[in-house]
Amino acid sequence: MRFARRTVAALQRSQLSVQALTRLSSVVIFLLASWTDQPHLALVALQGTLLAIPYTLIEALVGRPLSAGLVPAGWDLERWARRAAVVTIVPVGAVAYLSALIALPDVTPWSRLAMIAPVLLQLPLEAAFWSTARTRSRQLANLVPQLTAAGTLVAGAALALTHQRLDVAAVPAQLLVLGWVWLRRGGAPDRTVRPPYLASVRVGSAYCLAAGVDLSYSVALPSVAGRIVGVDAIVVLRAMELAFGPFHVALSASTREDIVGGRASRFLTGTRVFTGVLLVAVSAAVLGSSWVRGVLADELTRVAVGVIALFCVYKAMLAVSTWLSVRHMIRAAPRRFLASAVGSRVVAFGGLAVSIAVVHQVSGLFLQLAVTEAAVVVWYVLRARGTPPQVEPERVTTLDPAASA
């Protein structure tokens, strides 16, 4: 019994449980909508995509500056994180609404607003996670996304049973968790400066730009694949991404643990080892079983095993490049990391350009992905070796009336 309690406690403190619960709630809400809420299924699907924005944006604006040690010592971290979230609400809301308007022009304005409400509420929740992880404990910080995901599952089940719209399933849990965070708020006495709203986002602006560049490549990849190979390539890519879903959960957990730990994080961790185990397991499953490939997509059964092996190599290179990128971000100055991130995407986009010119089959596309990602690994190794020691930011030791305004 004691072993079981220790195991549960260790899982609760791990980012694996956070990522798994978050992914599970998204998948379950989509499935429930497909069974009981067909009129709002498209909105639920679009919402799942848009929820990546607050996750990525607040990690860049709050989590990464904290990890790199760029936040002045006198700043009230909770107020700073909240203000960074507040500044982003309007632009994120505009992007989300415009996306819904373009993708679903026949949907009513009220339905679009209802769909983007959870996206906007997720901004302060992500900010609360990062500030709590630094000012209190990782265990308490993990409760923010864990309780939100668990509450979303409960609300989703209730809405499905009563045949209500499911694109608002996360709202009750989000509001309850935000209320809980607000009741537990407080700041350390040595962190008294309230940073101006503009300064709150300026600290992480370089990381935000780097995240935007990464997102642009993620969007471009399936589009280019469909353009140069055909619709089947998009289906095969999507099927392989679904197969590697558990691997990506673990990979996200390992990188977020690095960012939460900052410069004290270790390279060899249990989560990182688990990520490698999942990589091998998924690769073995899709390579060794034609039945698994058929379950994922009929188009995948027509792809040679050797071609699929190239995609598995690409995922292995992606894991290494992701880990190197995060550790480089923690140790490098923001401008140097931004240059490194942009350079890595120049390499990646260069690979896509080569594909457009010479690739006409899925095999060529997967080979290009594997070779290009290996080049990105080499790029980050070289950039990390040439990284000079980072200068500590100027410390704020007195209360600045202008900053407190």
Side-chain angles (χ1 to χ4, degrees), residues 62-89:
V62 179
R64 297 196 171 208
L66 279 172
S67 181
L70 298 177
V71 184
W75 278 17
D76 184 318
L77 296 185
E78 292 184 349
R79 286 193 175 94
W80 163 63
R82 287 199 300 269
R83 291 185 174 196
V86 168
V87 170
T88 60
I89 285 177

Side-chain angles (χ1 to χ4, degrees), residues 297-384:
D298 291 337
E299 290 82 354
L300 199 57
T301 61
R302 297 191 288 271
V303 179
V305 174
V307 176
I308 296 174
L310 288 174
F311 190 88
C312 297
V313 172
Y314 158 64
K315 285 300 180 181
M317 293 296 101
L318 177 66
V320 177
S321 68
T322 300
W323 290 330
L324 292 175
S325 169
V326 172
R327 295 184 71 79
H328 180 55
M329 178 276 300
I330 294 171
R331 289 162 174 77
R335 289 185 180 179
R336 180 173 178 83
F337 171 71
L338 178 59
S340 299
V342 171
S344 74
R345 292 309 91 189
V346 169
V347 174
F349 276 111
L352 285 184
V354 171
S355 293
I356 293 174
V358 302
V359 170
H360 303 289
Q361 295 179 340
V362 173
S363 58
L365 177 64
F366 285 2
L367 176 61
Q368 175 267 313
L369 289 175
V371 171
T372 300
E373 204 61 38
V376 172
V377 170
V378 174
W379 166 259
Y380 273 118
V381 168
L382 295 176
R383 293 291 292 179

Side-chain angles (χ1 to χ4, degrees), residues 185-246:
R185 74 189 187 279
D190 60 333
R191 296 182 182 275
T192 56
V193 174
R194 302 179 182 180
Y197 284 93
L198 185 58
S200 296
V201 294
R202 187 184 297 127
V203 173
S205 58
Y207 305 121
C208 188
L209 288 173
V213 173
D214 279 339
L215 286 174
S216 66
Y217 178 77
S218 299
V219 172
L221 177 57
S223 301
V224 171
R227 179 69 178 83
I228 63 179
V229 181
V231 177
D232 283 357
I234 299 177
V235 176
V236 169
L237 271 175
R238 181 57 179 164
M240 292 300 294
E241 291 296 338
L242 288 175
F244 278 89

Side-chain angles (χ1 to χ4, degrees), residues 59-188:
E59 180 184 283
L61 291 176
V62 179
R64 297 196 171 208
L66 279 172
S67 181
L70 298 177
V71 184
W75 278 17
D76 184 318
L77 296 185
E78 292 184 349
R79 286 193 175 94
W80 163 63
R82 287 199 300 269
R83 291 185 174 196
V86 168
V87 170
T88 60
I89 285 177
V90 171
V92 170
V95 169
Y97 191 88
L98 182 61
S99 298
L101 183 63
I102 294 173
L104 304 168
D106 297 330
V107 172
T108 65
W110 160 247
S111 288
R112 296 191 197 106
L113 291 173
M115 184 274 293
I116 68 174
V119 178
L120 301 183
L121 287 172
Q122 195 61 30
L123 290 166
L125 283 169
E126 290 294 322
F129 165 81
W130 287 109
S131 62
T132 303
R134 184 53 61 96
T135 60
R136 291 166 189 162
S137 70
R138 299 182 189 180
Q139 185 174 3
L140 189 62
N142 283 354
L143 282 176
V144 174
Q146 287 167 342
L147 291 175
T148 302
T152 300
L153 290 171
V154 173
L159 291 172
L161 288 173
T162 55
H163 298 282
Q164 302 297 316
R165 60 186 304 157
L166 281 157
D167 55 342
V168 296
V171 171
Q174 288 175 317
L175 292 176
L176 286 173
V177 174
L178 280 174
W180 173 68
V181 169
W182 179 258
L183 290 175
R184 296 183 63 90
R185 74 189 187 279

